[in-house]
Amino acid sequence: GTVLVGEATKRATAEAIAYEEAGEQLLKGKTAPVAAWRAVQVLGMRGGARRRSSLEPPFVGRDEELRLVKDLFNVTVREAKPRLVTVIGQAGIGKSRLGWEFEKYIDGVTQTVYWHAGRSPSYGEGISFWALAEMVRERAGIAESDPPEEARAKLSPCLAEWVTDAEERRWVEPRVAGLLGLEEMPTGQREELFAAWRTFFQRIADRGPVILVFKDLHWADDGMLEFIEHLLTWSKSHPIYVLAMTRPDLLERHPGWGSGVRNATTVSLEPLADEAMGELLRGLVPGLPGDAVAAIVARADGVPLYAVETVRMLIDRGQLVAGADGSYTLDGAIDRLGVPETLHALVAARIDANPPEDRSLLADGAVLGQSFTLAAISGLSGQKEEVVLPALERLLRRELLIRDDDPRSPERGQYRFVQAVVREVAYDTLAKADRRTKHLAAARYFEALGDDELSGVLANHYLEALQATSPGPEADALAAQARIALRVAGERAAALHAWSVVHRHLTDALAITSEPAEAASLHMAIAQAGNFLVRPDSVDHALRAAELAEGLDDRPTLNRARGLAGEIYVNRSLGADALAILEPAAATLAENEQFAAAIFSQQARILMMTERHEEALVAAERALRAAALDRDTEQIAQALTTRGSALGGMGRLDEAEAVLRGAMVIADRGGHISAGLRARNNLVSAISEDTPYHEMMPILNDSIDLARRYGMAGWAAQHLLNTTIGLIEMGDWEQADERLAETDDLAMNESHLGAIASLRAILLAGRGEAQASNEAIAEARRGTRLIDTAPQLTDVAVRLAHAYLLLGEPKAAVQALKGAEGGGNDPLIANAGGMAAAVLADGRALASFRERLVGLADSRWSRAAAAQIAASASAMEGRWDEAQAAYLSALPRFDDMDLHLEANVLRLEFAAYLGDRFADAAAAGEAGAAWFAERGAEGVVERYRAAFRGTPAPAAGTTARAARSQSGVEVS
């Protein structure tokens, strides 16, 4: 509504709010009318801070969008959960203005809100995480121009203020300092960097709502986008509000942007209606003739910037005059508008109206980017700062440039194009030869700075200069310089784990490289980046690096390339492909050769995964000896994990547990997070045959917390899966649902997707949602179609068999297990298959599953499965007393292992066969039915009983198989 204020309020707030006279008003408590003013527009922040002196039109036509942005922020505060709001619109449509209005709104709220803003520069693909670094600098009060020692002195107290736990700060500080280029980035995985940066903002959010505004996100590197999604995914209980401003280009590069974030909203800014455009113009220039308004509106296509640039052009021509109050009025009549038809043409006309020296300076600025310093523009133009300054002041007055005077901004004191489109048009005015000259001059300037943080910018300038140079010696020299710059930029990006930036820089370098040794090195580095990015061509680069290295007789590069190619295949669970590379390489490799440990370690891992356990132990021992030479603790931890897993697969469970716990200790001590999480995962798998789930839950929950802390989505998914399996078995299906839901936001490989779907199929089947369960079963099968390693395939097969059993489809359960290799899970296969065979009274199938248990190491799982199958076989053959004893022996074995799902299915079977003969069998059936009913799975009992076709127990002297055949029940 309208806000009226008196003289005192107007005086106190005039720096921040624009008013118009509202005449005299009769107010309550006053005996005579008093002068009043109507609040028209917020011009700046509290106390007039950041009040804009440039042309600012009234805010029109975007009330609904602004209200939505405000409301979503308030929901974020109320729910204390993170949220992503992406504002999308073409150049000049009003994204920045919407952000400015929101900032003024936040400035007016009473609650303390921690505001951060960062801009991705137009050369953003050459600089990793620039916008994020700006936000950290803003919080710490660091200007971009501050020397490193001054910046470091400001960063430490900032971190001490927000990250109060000393141990946590010791971990966060070097990684934040590395982001700002103040010190060398610590070694480790990208997830550790992301986790440290995330922790910094989470600690701020512990004190109040945090807003992160990412401007010009369409220019951001892929790593920046991935960090935003990481931050929102792993900050589930923090009020962090991300406002992303972008052109539609972003969705072309990343069509799935925001889809992995639970609370994500897209606000699309459409062109303004003609009425709103007219209101905007009349607000800018009261008295502008109607025909002029109509002409501008007709050409603007709903783009506010077009209208604003038209007014600026009229000001440049002297046809509009600024009044004392800052408003503009018409100076005489406008006989001919003469406005270009497109926004680009309009901006070009405004630029052309400037003197040649100013146009040249503007083009220099465009080469440097969206913003630039006085020193940079002076260096590029070759003119002294005192000569450049008057021209910059003229460009400021003409509102082609603005100067950043925000005391909080890291760019304070820098010059910036008033709109990105102005910079683009200014750059387009340069001829090819001029671009070459200016980019080369810019490269020389940035090279002289010696700032590694700007290495990507330097590389881009050399590339631009090279592309504008004709082939010949000069181009060759530029190519050499470009390669050096690209390698340095790649190394800087690699330190930040910005693998997409690494991949792009080094691919550019490879394209201008002909020397084999350098090409081999580049292929290797590209393969490494591609492995992190899960690019399908990463193994091709590794194999090409190996081929070149072999031709050069470069054994270290050859070993490293083969090891990486094998690792890529191992990570994809492609055992045959991995062994085809690793086994020949390992056969000719000495243990003291460089990178030998990695090859032996990967070979051992895939041998273990393909159940060649004896060979895996040999390869793991070679890996341990090779790693011991350099005391490579990460490879030692990995090799020990493989060794322990192979021992577990051979049934040597106590040894397996000891070795795997040792691997955990070494990994944790060395800070090898991924290796430690793998050791925990394999430990749980190894001891699961002999350890109740309630004893494994502390390890599982610790593993989830560790994976979440470091943002390791793959390992978080794996440990969530392990936990969900336990919860399903124990009967806590509600929490199992919650754990599965936590995987929704995680990026996972195909084996994880298949495993998740198989668990979802069990829960859906239990609740009688047959169609949804079958859809999940189909999804699980799709998720394993590219995998050839037994453990992953067997796990899914066993879960699908259980889902089919709960759906009352025992034949399908048996079929799901056909062809399933042991994968260390023979007791599980025997259990699930044996239960299905018992329902079918299929003696041959039951015997085949019984054979799975022959020769297995003694464990609680194997003993339980053996007792179960013995009970089923006795019942099917009419040996009632033996069957009763076997059921009563098997049931507590399952319960003691917390395998309550299996135990209660077995109770239903016990009752189906022997309920009419023994009271304890009938009681077991009632207990099993009650257990399922407590979980909303009454239908399981009905479906299970129906699967027996009403003949749960054969007549005396008749086998179950014969009884089923006589009743017309088909058995296999």
Side-chain angles (χ1 to χ4, degrees), residues 331-369:
D331 185 17
I334 298 180
D335 298 324
R336 187 176 64 84
L337 193 59
V339 178
E341 293 189 2
T342 68
L343 177 60
H344 277 66
L346 174 57
V347 173
R350 288 198 60 224
I351 291 174
D352 286 343
N354 289 272
E357 61 273 18
D358 292 4
R359 294 201 303 271
S360 177
L361 199 66
L362 206 60
D364 289 343
V367 169
L368 290 168

Side-chain angles (χ1 to χ4, degrees), residues 212-231:
L212 306 177
V213 181
F214 290 90
K215 304 175 184 177
D216 295 330
L217 196 64
H218 48 278
W219 281 323
D221 62 281
D222 292 346
M224 185 73 266
L225 303 179
E226 289 158 9
F227 173 74
I228 294 172
E229 292 191 332
H230 165 98
L231 173 70

Side-chain angles (χ1 to χ4, degrees), residues 611 613 648-651 689 790-791 794-795 798 817 820-834 848-857 859 861-862 865-866 868-869:
E611 299 197 286
H613 297 309
M650 297 167 67
E689 287 191 32
T794 301
D795 283 348
V798 168
L817 294 167
E821 299 296 333
N825 292 325
D826 287 294
L828 282 71
I829 296 172
N831 162 239
S848 71
F849 289 117
R850 190 175 208 165
E851 289 174 7
R852 296 270 189 172
L853 300 173
V854 175
L856 289 186
S859 70
W861 236 119
S862 62
Q868 164 212 329
I869 289 182

Side-chain angles (χ1 to χ4, degrees), residues 436 466 469-481:
R436 178 197 174 281
L466 176 61
T469 304
S470 300
E474 191 174 5
D476 293 342
L478 270 178
Q481 291 174 308

